[in-house]
Amino acid sequence: MLEQIQFAALSKLNVPEPQAVDLVRCGKLECYDKAYDRVTPKFSRKLQKFEDIVFPNVTTSQDPVIKRLQEQKEGNVYATDKILSRLMCAPRSAYSWDVVVTKVGDKLFFDKRDRGDFDLLTVHETAQEPVDEEKDPHNSASELSQEATQINQNFSQQVLVEGERAIEFDEGNPFEGGGQQKCAKQAYRYRKWEIDEKTVLIARCELDGYADNKGQDALVSIKALNEFDSKATGVDWRHKLENQRGAILATELKNNANKLARWTAEALLSGADQLRLGYVTRSMMKDNRSHLVLGTQMCKPRDFAAQINLKVGNLWGIFKSIVDLCRTLSDGKYLLMKDPNKQTILLYQVPGDAFDPVEEEDEEEEEDDVNEED
């Protein structure tokens, strides 16, 4: 272990927010369906499943557009909005996580580990009382994480209007392959921030749609909160969402502080004008495969950040301090890991080939060799 970073120290950091500049815009944005603003517990909508759609989760160093920008000598620090939010909101995290850092000369690449659980959403992460997994295996941390991630993906597609005008960006979706499976309806902004005179960040940021706002196109980030057991939270969404939405959101902010902070940070990074939150519950509390949309809520990211006491200057202060630390390292590969039991980030050096993507062909060859031996 090379270094320990205490959350208490990170929480005190503050730097001016750098100005974002769009370098490349890819994909297209579909229109948000405002009919979902009128959904209530009495007039709920069944959550659809989009099993034939791929949700790309390409890491930084494998992104073709980031590779191109690097070759064009744009920036010297590279990441994605999800990786940035993980680091920026670190003091609110309770579960362990990790980010791979590669230093090559004056360049830093922040990546996620291949085939890890980085992209899965957490549930009940910051609650005072953990979920009793022995009582109901469907409510284990891993099961809840899978469920919440699928809900979030399905909701983001369901609330977009088919056939309406789409906002076409300059380039097509960089992750759209030639196969039969379609990519999710999303767009990407590759943005540049000059954090200081020696640090220029390039990051891929996601947008989920746009909404009509008094004749203007408002860029939208779409997320879904989900209820898995009203007894665990003490608030029954079906009965209280219409009249006590503030109490429900306050409970979510207590139990899922890190997730909501990360969503807000990602909306700010992408330049979204609106953060659309959906409230989704299980059709039956014992069934984690069928869900209902009970309602939605629109927030302005900066106003919501102030409401949850998420200071933008602190987000950038945290990231800058991590970049400054990594700049002192020799060339190589490193792992930033949140200690499972402490409010601390640990920094390790790892072998140069650690966490490299495993080629499927290599796996198939190994399987063939085993079969031949048998």
Side-chain angles (χ1 to χ4, degrees), residues 170-363:
D170 307 326
E171 299 184 16
N173 189 323
F175 312 116
E176 196 94 62
Q180 294 181 344
Q181 286 187 309
K182 296 186 299 182
C183 280
K185 297 170 184 173
Q186 282 180 322
Y188 305 94
R189 299 172 91 173
Y190 291 82
R191 315 192 85 192
K192 177 173 77 172
W193 295 264
E194 293 189 11
I195 299 174
D196 59 35
E197 58 186 19
K198 62 180 180 180
T199 306
V200 180
L201 168 67
I202 305 292
R204 181 186 77 231
C205 302
E206 295 180 7
L207 288 167
D208 298 306
Y210 78 92
D212 177 64
N213 183 28
K214 299 177 181 178
Q216 300 293 318
D217 293 334
L219 304 178
V220 178
S221 178
I222 300 170
K223 307 297 179 186
L225 295 165
N226 66 292
E227 179 187 43
F228 64 93
D229 185 354
S230 57
K231 292 179 181 178
T233 60
V235 184
D236 189 326
W237 289 14
R238 279 183 170 90
H239 294 104
K240 297 190 176 181
L241 185 61
E242 278 195 276
N243 300 319
Q244 298 184 43
R245 183 166 300 188
I248 289 176
L249 185 56
T251 302
E252 287 298 301
L253 287 168
K254 180 179 68 175
N255 294 339
N256 295 291
N258 185 36
K259 178 167 67 178
L260 280 158
R262 289 189 62 201
W263 285 349
T264 308
E266 288 164 19
L268 291 169
L269 288 166
S270 69
D273 302 303
Q274 298 178 0
L275 174 60
R276 295 270 177 174
L277 293 175
Y279 292 87
V280 179
T281 189
R282 292 178 179 176
S283 300
M284 297 177 64
M285 287 302 162
K286 295 293 183 182
D287 184 1
N288 64 355
R289 295 167 299 177
S290 178
H291 300 86
L292 298 172
V293 181
L294 300 181
T296 62
Q297 178 176 351
M298 190 277 283
C299 315
K300 292 183 178 179
R302 289 192 181 275
D303 293 347
F304 194 64
Q307 182 182 339
I308 66 176
N309 198 30
L310 189 70
K311 295 180 173 62
V312 179
N314 178 239
L315 299 180
W316 286 103
I318 290 171
F319 182 66
K320 183 179 183 300
S321 72
I322 292 172
V323 169
D324 289 345
L325 171 62
C326 293
R327 282 198 184 284
T328 66
L329 304 171
S330 56
D331 283 12
K333 187 174 284 190
Y334 302 86
L335 188 72
L336 287 165
M337 186 182 79
K338 193 271 178 185
D339 190 302
N341 303 310
K342 299 177 183 177
Q343 298 291 288
T344 307
I345 299 175
L346 308 175
L347 175 64
Y348 297 93
Q349 185 165 16
V350 296
D353 59 354
F355 316 125
D356 283 349
V358 179
E359 295 292 337
E360 293 182 8
E361 291 180 6
D362 293 344
E363 289 185 340

Side-chain angles (χ1 to χ4, degrees), residues 41-90:
K42 289 182 180 178
F43 300 97
S44 60
R45 297 270 191 104
K46 183 174 177 59
L47 185 68
Q48 301 169 20
K49 294 181 180 180
F50 294 82
E51 296 173 342
D52 60 334
I53 286 179
V54 175
F55 290 83
N57 53 8
V58 179
T59 191
T60 307
S61 58
Q62 298 298 314
D63 186 304
V65 179
I66 288 180
K67 286 182 179 180
R68 189 175 84 208
L69 291 171
Q70 180 206 343
E71 291 169 358
Q72 294 171 355
K73 310 247 186 274
E74 290 282 3
N76 53 20
V77 179
Y78 307 91
T80 68
D81 55 353
K82 287 185 170 60
I83 292 171
L84 289 173
S85 73
R86 178 75 75 182
L87 297 172
M88 288 176 164
C89 301

